[in-house]
Amino acid sequence: MDVFAALADPVRRELLRRVSSESVRAGDLAAEHPVSRPAISRHLRVLIQTGLVEVDTQGRERRYRLRPAGLAPVRQMVDSLTEPGSSRHSPLVSPEHLLALETEVRRATRDRQSSTTTDTSQESA
């Protein structure tokens, strides 16, 4: 699963918000949500696998905290959307592609009109 898929779930987003300010035990996270503890554990596993959260083991306790570097793909995407003049941003459709599309639309329209005119003249005969 990638970072974007992990962030698509509202429970995981809320868990991420919670662990962004301090390291938190899974039990405390489970107590704050109307989701079962095993479900919270599964959500945390996804966040760990995608690199968004890391685990610190302190004795018998496991504490979860945000791994800011895991947000790099999100940051890059947002940057590419908000900084259109940057060198990292390339338009999805270039002006040349738009001109080629316009040419094809005109050609298809002309061909359609031509075939309609031909069909009408054949029906008259």
Side-chain angles (χ1 to χ4, degrees):
M1 181 180 294
D2 72 347
V3 172
F4 297 100
L7 292 174
D9 187 281
V11 173
R12 287 194 285 265
R13 287 194 306 269
E14 191 55 41
L15 291 174
L16 208 56
R17 281 187 198 99
R18 180 69 172 86
V19 300
S20 67
S21 59
E22 63 181 326
S23 63
V24 185
R25 294 178 315 140
D28 295 335
L29 292 169
E32 298 169 2
H33 292 85
V35 181
S36 70
R37 188 174 176 141
I40 293 293
S41 293
R42 285 191 297 274
H43 285 300
L44 287 169
R45 193 172 324 126
V46 168
L47 292 172
I48 292 166
Q49 290 171 347
T50 56
L52 292 169
V53 169
E54 54 192 16
V55 182
D56 292 325
T57 304
Q58 299 171 352
R60 291 180 15 184
E61 272 187 0
R62 296 184 73 187
R63 299 182 75 79
Y64 299 86
R65 64 185 167 98
L66 175 68
R67 185 175 165 271
L71 292 169
V74 176
R75 195 170 288 114
Q76 289 169 353
M77 181 184 171
V78 170
D79 287 348
S80 74
L81 294 173
T82 58
E83 300 174 11
S86 74
S87 60
R88 291 178 288 171
H89 179 76
S90 60
L92 295 175
V93 180
S94 70
E96 293 81 18
H97 287 111
L98 290 175
L99 287 173
L101 177 61
E102 181 181 13
T103 301
E104 287 303 315
V105 168
R106 286 183 180 171
R107 182 177 297 137
T109 303
R110 186 179 58 237
D111 290 349
R112 193 173 320 120
Q113 288 171 348
S114 174
S115 70
T116 303
T117 304
T118 306
D119 291 343
T120 306
S121 65
Q122 288 177 357
E123 289 176 10
S124 308

